[in-house]
Structures are given as C-alpha cells and as structure tokens.
Amino acid sequence: MDKKVRVRFAPSPTGGLHLGGVRTVLFNYLFAKHFGGDFILRIEDTDQTRFVEGAEDYIFECLKWCGLTPDESPLHGGPYAPYRQSERKEIYRQYAEQLLKDGHAYYAFDTPEELDAKRKEIPNFQYNHQHRLALRNSVSLTETETAKLLEKNVPYVIRIKMPDNEEVRFTDMIRGEVNFHSSQTDDKVLLKADGMPTYHLAVVVDDYLMKITHAFRGEEWLPSAPVHVLLWKYLFGLENMPHWAHLPLILKPDGNGKLSKRDGDRLGFPVFAMNWTDPRTNDFAQGFRERGFLPEAFVNMLAVLGWNDGSEQEIFTMTELIQKFSMDRVHKGGAKFDYEKAKWFNHEWIKRLPVSSLLLPVKRLFEEQGIAIDDEEMFAKVLELVKDRCTLLPDFVQQASFFFKLPETIDIASIKPKWDDKKNQFFMELIRAYELTTLWQHDELEKELKEMAAAHQIKSGELMAPFRIMLVGGKFGPGVFDIAEIIGREETIARIKHTLQLVNL
RNA sequence: GGAGCGUUGGUCAAGGGGUUAAGACACCUCCCUUUCACGGAGGAAUCACGGGUUCGAUUCCCGUACGCUCUACCA
C-alpha cells in the first residue's frame, strides 16, 4: 500500500453502541493498526432531530473500555478537525454547489408533505429519472422559474441526479466485484432544507478531506454504495476513492434479522457495550461491561464473529488480533449472536488472566455488596482458588463471599435428615483436634479428618457434605480443606460450632 | 413490488473438484472430583434444492427456493 492507511468509524450519537457497532469499530481499528495506520473517530451528527444528550461521551467511554483508542477524534483532536459533522456544515455546501454547476445535482422544491402524497398515490414511487420531470425542481422548471423560487427563499433540497443508464461498479474487499444499475437508485437528497448534508454527501466529502483510504461499514449500506461511488466520481475522482468493505450483519439468535436491543431484553442478554439509559424515555439497557464481561473477552468474542485466522485458535489478545487480522478472511454471511459462546469467551479470559488484573474490578463488586476487603493477599488467594468456576465477574461474589463473612443462610435441611449423635460427637472432637493442629494447611486438615473418621467408623464421604455446609452454607465452592486453610483456624472452628448449634436445636 | 447481498451440524465456523467434511459453543454419555466447576474420553452434518460442466462437485457455472438489507430532507 503506497499511502498511509487511514480508516474511520463514524457513528451518529443517537443511543448506546451495540454489538454490531463495536465490531465495526474493532475491524476498522485492527485493520488500521495491522498496517500501522490511523484510526479516526468522526461523529456523524447531521440529523439534529435525532441528537441524544450523552451519546457521544458514551461512545468515547466504550472505545476506552474496549481499548480502541482513536488517533484523531473530536476529543483527541487531529490535523483534520473538526471531527463533528455539525461543525463542518459550511464545508459541504460548496461541494453540493459544484455538483449543481456540473449538472450532477439539482434543486428540488417539493415539500415533504407533497412527497408523502406522491408515495401514497403512486405505488413504489421513487424520486428518479422516471418521475423527476413531473416534480418541482430545477430540472423540470425553467431557469428563470428556479431563480425566482430561490430568490423568494422557498425551501429546497439539493438532490443528486442519478444517470438513467449507467453501470456502477466497485470492488468490495469482502464481496468482490459489486454491480448496480444507476436507474435503480433514486435521486438521494444531498443537502437538506436546513443546510445540513445528508450522510451521502457528508461521508464522501469527509472521507476525501480526511484522506481516508479504507472505508468499512455495515452491510446495510451496500444498496446506497452506488450513490457514494458516483459522488466520488463527480467530485474527487474514482482513483482517489477509498477501498470499501461492507461487513456482514450480526443477527438475532432465534429466527432471522438484525440483532436489536429488543432481542436482548427478550432473551435476557446485553446488546450494548455498556449500560445505557435513553435520556428521553428513561429506557434502560444493561451493558456487557456491567454484566461482568472483561474487555479482553468482549473484544475477542466480537473479533471472531465473522472473522477467523484460518487456524483453530479462538482466544486472541489484542496484539495477536492486530497481527493476524485481514479483511479477506471476513465472512460474507451474517452471524447469529450466541450468548452462550460469548460467556464461554469470558470464562476463558477469567481463567487465563492473572489474578492481579482481576483484583480491582472484583474488589469493587464485593464492596458494592457491602463486603469490605482488607486483606488483599488473602483476597488474591481466594480469587485464584475460585476463578475456574466463574463465568462472569459477579460470579466471584457468589462463589467467594463466604470467605469474608458468615454465610447468609446455612442449608440445615440438607444436613438434618442424616444427622445423628455419632456425627455430632465426631464434629465436637474435630473441633478439639483442629484447635491443636500445628500445621494449618489443607493436606494436614484432610488427613486429620479422615483418620478421625476411621477411628469413629464413619465413612468420610458422609462427613464431607455437612462439613462443607458448615463452612460455606451450601453445596458449592472449591475444596473444603482449601477453604478451611484460607479462612483460618479460628473461623473454621467458629463456623463448625455455629452450625452444630443450629442442627441440634 | 424492485435492487443488492447471502445460504457447510442447533450456533460460530475450517475446508475447497477426489477428505473418515477440521475445530469451538451448546447438548448427551463416560472418566476425574465424596459439592459444583476445571480437566480428559466419546456421540451426532453428505455441505438449501434442481440442473449442468467433469471420470468425479459440498467445492466451478446457471436457475429455483429461502433469508436478510435497503427502497426517508435517518444514519
């Protein structure tokens, strides 16, 4: 590649960032970094009616959490600022005017109401070569009529004049050669009545001005690609056009169709990267982050949804992804999102990440549950012990809170039916034995219990369940003797005594 | 309706003219573990359908079906 690779992610700040959006960012980022290029974040906020307070900050926060930091953005600045399209409003008009001058665009004076009426009246109505002569625009009107309307400040839009008969083709990095016939696309609005550009104009002007070399976006954009290709041809030359790639969609797990927030609500999994509350409706959606996903896992899971490196490897660090990513290994077909698999990735990452990097987020979760952690060293030991059985971060609280406080409930009902004097005697004696144990260490504790069981002629298996319940409150958690070792002599004995009292009531 | 894109087990997918059609998730069975996990062993697909091309197609070509996306002064 001769030019420095420059890619952009261009979201509109209208709500939370969903899986598909994050994956688009990710593929952009990986591609750019693979080639040592730049990753630009551009905010496409040309529709003022859809602007949502806080959405832009949310996007930055998401990218930060995922570790996908832009090289240039409204926040980070850069040589092609401003990076917010609303602040670039004046720039677009001159290009619209150039198109006008060259006969590739025209003024249209039809009101939205008139067009609505047309759509009702004529089936499959399109503002195109077939109908534009019958509408109010600078093609159908004489020059003086047009001039008069403009002079009277009659609101207008500028539309592209799609050629009636032209093959529009381009090469998509994922799909190969793609063809469209120009007559199939209508005369898209380029500049709105409020003077703002539509996406179609803004995207090509900004990609040109910001020297974008590769443009990746969701597959839903494919049908409007011919408009963009034509604009490139008219304005900047096809030879300067970025290479396109239209990414496959992320589909809902059941049935078909694009994954939406509703599917997440319905099926019980997040769809947004982080918590998002719509400020207008107060509609809340939980994010992957708050659900207890690690950013490493979230990114990994997204990367292999529609891409793989051809090997059997599934777990990738960001560094490996950057090294191995290539657009020609991206799948063409959409992929159904599988939440179970997503959790598996998190589980894998919890298992392989050193405890040191889990410490902080998990500690926070404990504290949120009112469990203070003062002994960091013990905390680390506990996490190491339980991490194999934690899929999501909050599982740590469930799996390990009993290390730091008395179990909230003790499953007496499971002990009682098989409880007898013999066992009671046994545990009384175990307490005495444990009081004297010199080496408080799990092997030693296990040995003592088993020897004593033999002496009492009780199968040690019958003792394990009650002992576990005494220490953790239920039938779960890591090895009992490991637990005893960590919580210590005093606490172990106290818990045995406590349960003994309850059982003997 | 039109245009475009897509279609390998339930899901993610590798592969690509001749293979026992990888692997992972989920599921089932078993082993390990006197809890639950982790770990280990095993189980299931003829590649949407129909035509070609070919000695031979899941793999190439053409149709059909099905699905999706778009069809706004939204992105």
Side-chain angles (χ1 to χ4, degrees):
Chain A
M1 243 155 272
D2 41 349
K3 281 185 290 185
K4 183 172 194 192
V5 168
R6 288 174 58 81
V7 305
R8 82 298 193 269
F9 175 60
S12 52
T14 53
L17 237 205
H18 58 84
L19 288 174
V22 181
R23 195 188 53 169
T24 304
V25 190
L26 179 61
F27 283 13
N28 268 286
Y29 181 85
L30 295 176
F31 183 89
K33 294 304 153 190
H34 180 84
F35 289 105
D38 295 329
F39 167 56
I40 289 99
L41 179 79
R42 184 173 70 215
I43 298 291
E44 309 228 339
D45 56 349
T46 54
D47 187 356
Q48 287 138 328
T49 64
R50 295 214 309 163
F51 177 81
V52 173
E53 193 67 44
E56 190 182 308
D57 292 339
Y58 176 94
I59 290 165
F60 284 117
E61 185 71 26
C62 279
L63 296 193
K64 196 172 151 199
W65 180 60
C66 294
L68 306 169
T69 315
D71 297 296
E72 298 166 28
S73 81
L75 196 70
H76 304 80
Y80 302 95
Y83 292 94
R84 241 183 308 255
Q85 289 183 332
S86 59
E87 294 167 16
R88 303 169 64 79
K89 187 175 173 186
E90 302 73 37
I91 298 176
Y92 307 107
R93 174 169 291 275
Q94 65 178 105
Y95 292 100
E97 271 162 13
Q98 191 191 135
L99 290 164
L100 238 27
K101 188 163 63 72
D102 297 341
H104 293 127
Y106 58 88
Y107 296 105
F109 301 94
D110 321 86
T111 65
E113 294 73 30
E114 286 167 355
L115 293 177
D116 276 347
K118 284 282 184 207
R119 289 192 187 98
K120 268 183 203 130
E121 179 194 327
I122 305 167
N124 303 322
F125 171 82
Q126 295 265 277
Y127 208 120
N128 60 13
H129 66 104
Q130 223 181 91
H131 295 291
R132 71 178 156 238
L133 252 18
L135 294 151
R136 278 206 309 154
N137 52 56
S138 58
V139 181
S140 61
L141 268 24
T142 66
E143 233 169 276
T144 49
E145 284 172 323
T146 304
K148 204 171 286 170
L149 288 172
L150 289 175
E151 209 172 295
K152 283 198 291 186
N153 286 323
V154 174
Y156 65 85
V157 300
I158 296 176
R159 309 186 88 109
I160 185 172
K161 187 176 176 189
M162 289 298 284
D164 325 350
N165 187 18
E166 191 176 323
E167 269 315 306
V168 183
R169 63 183 49 182
F170 68 96
T171 307
D172 185 283
M173 293 174 74
I174 295 171
R175 288 150 220 287
E177 197 85 353
V178 184
N179 288 290
F180 291 89
H181 196 86
S182 62
S183 65
Q184 296 299 333
T185 308
D186 59 348
D187 295 346
K188 295 282 181 222
V189 171
L190 263 19
L191 204 73
K192 299 185 258 190
D194 64 3
M196 275 288 192
T198 59
Y199 172 83
H200 303 109
L201 211 217
V203 73
V204 337
V205 168
D206 285 342
D207 282 354
Y208 170 74
L209 260 17
M210 296 182 181
K211 298 198 161 53
I212 299 304
T213 57
H214 300 262
F216 310 140
R217 66 219 317 190
E219 190 187 332
E220 69 268 26
W221 287 106
L222 206 40
S224 53
V227 178
H228 311 317
V229 174
L230 247 21
L231 287 175
W232 270 97
K233 182 177 160 186
Y234 298 150
L235 252 16
F236 311 117
L238 252 19
E239 65 281 8
N240 297 313
M241 185 170 74
H243 301 281
W244 297 101
H246 290 86
L247 273 22
L249 266 15
I250 296 179
L251 278 14
K252 57 183 74 184
D254 57 341
N256 295 295
K258 244 197 320 189
L259 181 67
S260 71
K261 180 186 159 297
R262 284 202 84 74
D263 298 312
D265 294 346
R266 184 169 54 86
L267 271 8
F269 59 79
V271 161
F272 292 141
M274 312 181 313
N275 277 1
W276 170 254
T277 305
D278 191 302
R280 297 161 309 182
T281 59
N282 267 329
D283 196 15
F284 170 77
Q286 192 189 34
F288 278 87
R289 183 176 72 174
E290 290 78 3
R291 187 68 158 242
F293 277 78
L294 293 164
E296 290 89 345
F298 184 59
V299 164
N300 190 162
M301 174 274 285
L302 247 20
V304 297
L305 199 57
W307 172 86
N308 71 82
D309 75 337
S311 77
E312 285 179 13
Q313 186 175 352
E314 291 200 89
I315 304 295
F316 296 91
T317 62
M318 185 69 91
T319 315
E320 288 175 310
L321 288 174
I322 290 172
Q323 196 182 101
K324 297 182 172 175
F325 185 78
S326 84
M327 207 42 93
D328 51 26
R329 289 203 61 88
V330 174
H331 235 250
K332 293 181 177 68
K336 288 186 184 179
F337 176 66
D338 182 355
Y339 185 55
E340 291 305 317
K341 184 86 186 220
K343 283 196 296 194
W344 177 80
F345 277 104
N346 207 245
H347 194 15
E348 287 301 308
W349 271 98
I350 285 179
K351 280 190 293 180
R352 67 187 67 202
L353 237 36
V355 158
S356 58
S357 52
L358 262 19
L359 237 39
L360 226 71
V362 177
K363 189 177 174 187
R364 202 158 27 231
L365 287 171
F366 272 77
E367 284 164 355
E368 275 169 26
Q369 296 303 309
I371 304 169
I373 304 298
D374 346 280
D375 188 344
E376 294 260 351
E377 203 181 314
M378 173 194 172
F379 191 54
K381 256 193 235 168
V382 169
L383 296 197
E384 189 60 54
L385 196 60
V386 303
K387 69 178 195 173
D388 279 4
R389 57 198 79 212
C390 295
T391 298
L392 299 173
L393 259 18
D395 293 345
F396 277 102
V397 178
Q398 212 259 316
Q399 287 291 329
S401 59
F402 58 80
F403 280 98
F404 306 97
K405 59 165 206 188
L406 220 56
E408 273 174 19
T409 57
I410 293 179
D411 186 9
I412 296 294
S414 293
I415 305 180
K416 255 202 164 139
K418 292 185 177 171
W419 194 252
D420 55 28
D421 240 23
K422 245 173 105 182
K423 284 183 186 165
N424 199 51
Q425 283 301 117
F426 174 87
F427 279 104
M428 299 284 273
E429 197 172 315
L430 186 70
I431 291 169
R432 283 193 293 276
Y434 277 0
E435 272 167 350
L436 300 171
T437 303
T438 43
L439 218 198
W440 191 262
Q441 190 265 117
H442 65 274
D443 290 335
E444 191 63 29
L445 299 174
E446 179 168 2
K447 208 177 94 194
E448 279 190 57
L449 183 138
K450 286 192 171 165
E451 281 171 3
M452 197 180 292
H456 280 248
Q457 291 182 301
I458 306 177
K459 276 193 267 179
S460 60
E462 287 183 50
L463 269 6
M464 298 305 283
F467 190 31
R468 164 174 298 281
I469 290 169
M470 288 171 183
L471 297 192
V472 314
K475 293 183 207 167
F476 60 92
V480 249
F481 300 105
D482 290 315
I483 298 170
E485 178 183 325
I486 291 182
I487 62 177
R489 186 199 307 268
E490 238 177 87
E491 185 66 19
T492 303
I493 291 172
R495 290 192 188 183
I496 298 174
K497 282 184 179 165
H498 176 67
T499 312
L500 246 29
Q501 268 180 357
L502 294 174
V503 175
N504 292 325
L505 274 181

